[in-house]
Amino acid sequence: MNKAYIILLNYKGTKDTLECLESLLKLKYENFQIFVIDNSEDITYYNGLIEWAQGMPSSIKTSFKHLVYPLSLKPVDYAAVSEADFLSAARHEKIVLIKADKNKGFAAGNNIALNYIMKFGSEDSFIWLLNNDTIVEKQSLDALVEYANKIENLKTGIIGSKLIYYYSPETIQAVGGKFNETFFISTHEGEGRPVTTPKSDFGTIDYAVGASMFITYKFLIDVGPLSEDYFLYYEELDWSYKAREKGWKTDWCPDSVVYHKEGASIGSSYRKEKSLFSETEIFKSRKIFVKKFYGLSLRFYLSSLLLILNRVRKGNFKAAKAVTKITFTQ
């Protein structure tokens, strides 16, 4: 049975992370190891992870009520280490909690674990990058491993899951993403469709949504870890573009089901307007991505202007002002 490494990034979202961990510990697939990288500046969030791993003191149980996956309150096989200690030697505990030296963003946080796997992993291993605000169905990892083995000869490097809205479990959030090369914007393939929709009814995807990305060790060694040019957003699209340049394809597995709360820690949930932080990071990363793969042509600035005017139309003047500065002056 191939070993699978599961990577979670925690940023001030311990409650979500713990619910995700509880769902992962119920996976049918047995040969996996979980790495949780804590990017939080406040040590309280990391300590919450450790307390859970130790069996959760009763004094803070009340903070974790009303979860789909309630906390088991049982000690687990774990280690709590610094970033430097983690990268210096192989770890064999079921769950390894890693305290990042500094919050350098989504890609850099995940790369702590990816760099470890590049050093200590084996050629037949798999890696599953998951958002911490997800929960997974019991067979979701089995499905990914089986699918990856089935299409191995097709040189498919990144495999996504069927992402379903956590708060609307009858509705698909995405099965992957599409990138519009005219307006330089990304959209979710399958968003809003019923969960029962067969794969044959969907179009092709350009990238796997970052909430669930499954890769092989061979892919990681060939393409490398995530680009740290981005603090947040566009990392998965960048990864897919780099992979495509090396002949790798992107696909998604319909039997790997992941429920996603979407933007729980950064204020980008579909249920409300995006936070100013989310808006500005999207525009920063979009500009970096387009400059990197297409160049900053007149078409980029005209399409950006349309996006800015759309925010003005909605009365979101603060965001419009901020993203205008990012687009035209930075």
Side-chain angles (χ1 to χ4, degrees):
M1 180 181 283
N2 305 72
K3 182 171 183 176
Y5 297 96
I6 303 174
I7 304 172
L8 302 178
L9 186 64
N10 183 61
Y11 179 73
K12 298 182 180 181
T14 300
K15 181 177 179 179
D16 291 323
T17 301
L18 295 185
E19 186 176 16
C20 182
L21 286 168
E22 290 285 352
S23 73
L24 290 172
L25 291 176
K26 294 176 177 62
L27 286 168
K28 290 182 178 180
Y29 197 88
E30 296 179 353
N31 189 18
F32 66 88
Q33 186 178 23
I34 304 171
F35 299 144
V36 184
I37 299 94
D38 183 68
N39 258 355
S40 314
E41 295 87 355
D42 187 339
I43 196 67
T44 302
Y45 300 98
Y46 185 63
N47 288 340
L49 297 172
I50 295 173
E51 289 171 346
W52 168 83
Q54 293 173 340
M56 184 67 73
S58 59
S59 60
I60 58 173
K61 283 183 189 178
T62 54
S63 300
F64 297 93
K65 291 182 177 179
H66 312 301
L67 298 176
V68 172
Y69 280 84
L71 304 185
S72 59
L73 309 185
K74 295 179 181 178
V76 298
D77 177 27
Y78 86 101
V81 297
S82 67
E83 179 180 333
D85 288 342
F86 174 63
L87 295 172
S88 65
R91 309 296 316 192
H92 303 288
E93 296 84 3
K94 191 72 171 178
I95 300 175
V96 184
L97 308 174
I98 304 109
K99 189 72 189 79
D101 294 338
K102 185 180 180 181
N103 179 16
K104 298 178 182 178
F106 179 86
N110 279 286
N111 281 351
I112 294 171
L114 291 175
N115 288 329
Y116 169 96
I117 296 166
M118 290 177 73
K119 185 176 181 180
F120 297 108
S122 59
E123 287 191 5
D124 63 346
S125 59
F126 296 105
I127 304 99
W128 193 11
L129 287 79
L130 272 175
N131 271 21
N132 72 311
D133 61 344
T134 61
I135 59 172
V136 303
E137 289 198 347
K138 292 180 180 180
Q139 83 290 350
S140 53
L141 181 52
D142 291 82
L144 285 167
V145 171
E146 182 180 348
Y147 197 77
N149 285 327
K150 179 181 177 181
I151 62 174
E152 183 178 6
N153 293 333
L154 300 179
K155 202 178 180 182
T156 300
I158 309 177
I159 302 172
S161 300
K162 181 191 287 184
L163 296 175
I164 298 173
Y165 285 121
Y166 178 95
Y167 297 105
S168 301
E170 73 288 347
T171 307
I172 291 174
Q173 179 205 353
V175 298
K178 300 280 287 184
F179 188 69
N180 185 314
E181 295 181 331
T182 301
F183 296 101
F184 300 123
I185 56 174
S186 57
T187 55
H188 285 168
E189 175 68 19
E191 183 173 10
R193 303 188 74 172
V195 295
T196 54
T197 307
K199 185 174 181 178
S200 58
D201 284 3
F202 295 99
T204 58
I205 62 171
D206 295 324
Y207 65 95
V209 177
S212 176
M213 296 188 290
F214 188 78
I215 64 172
T216 64
Y217 179 84
K218 292 177 182 178
F219 170 89
L220 179 60
I221 295 299
D222 186 31
V223 179
L226 292 163
S227 172
E228 296 183 20
D229 292 337
Y230 313 89
F231 185 82
L232 191 65
Y233 300 117
Y234 279 82
E235 309 91 344
E236 69 266 56
L237 188 55
D238 182 289
W239 220 11
S240 291
Y241 268 53
K242 286 197 299 184
R244 192 166 66 185
E245 290 173 351
K246 288 180 171 286
W248 293 91
K249 301 174 184 177
T250 302
D251 198 359
W252 64 280
C253 175
D255 296 320
S256 176
V257 176
V258 174
Y259 298 91
H260 188 205
K261 297 172 187 176
E262 193 190 15
S265 63
I266 57 172
S268 64
S269 171
Y270 81 102
R271 309 181 88 195
K272 59 183 180 181
E273 287 291 327
K274 288 182 172 62
S275 66
L276 182 61
F277 172 77
S278 179
E279 289 270 27
T280 55
E281 290 303 318
I282 288 173
F283 268 73
K284 286 178 184 177
S285 293
R286 175 178 176 268
K287 187 174 183 180
I288 292 169
F289 175 82
V290 173
K291 182 178 181 180
K292 189 173 183 178
F293 291 98
Y294 295 92
L296 298 181
S297 62
L298 178 61
R299 182 156 49 94
F300 165 75
Y301 290 105
L302 289 175
S303 63
S304 299
L305 183 59
L306 290 175
L307 295 174
I308 293 165
L309 290 174
N310 188 47
R311 282 152 179 78
V312 173
R313 181 182 64 82
K314 293 179 178 179
N316 196 351
F317 302 112
K318 194 171 184 180
K321 181 180 179 180
V323 299
T324 297
K325 182 178 180 181
I326 291 167
T327 303
F328 294 100
T329 64
Q330 293 183 0

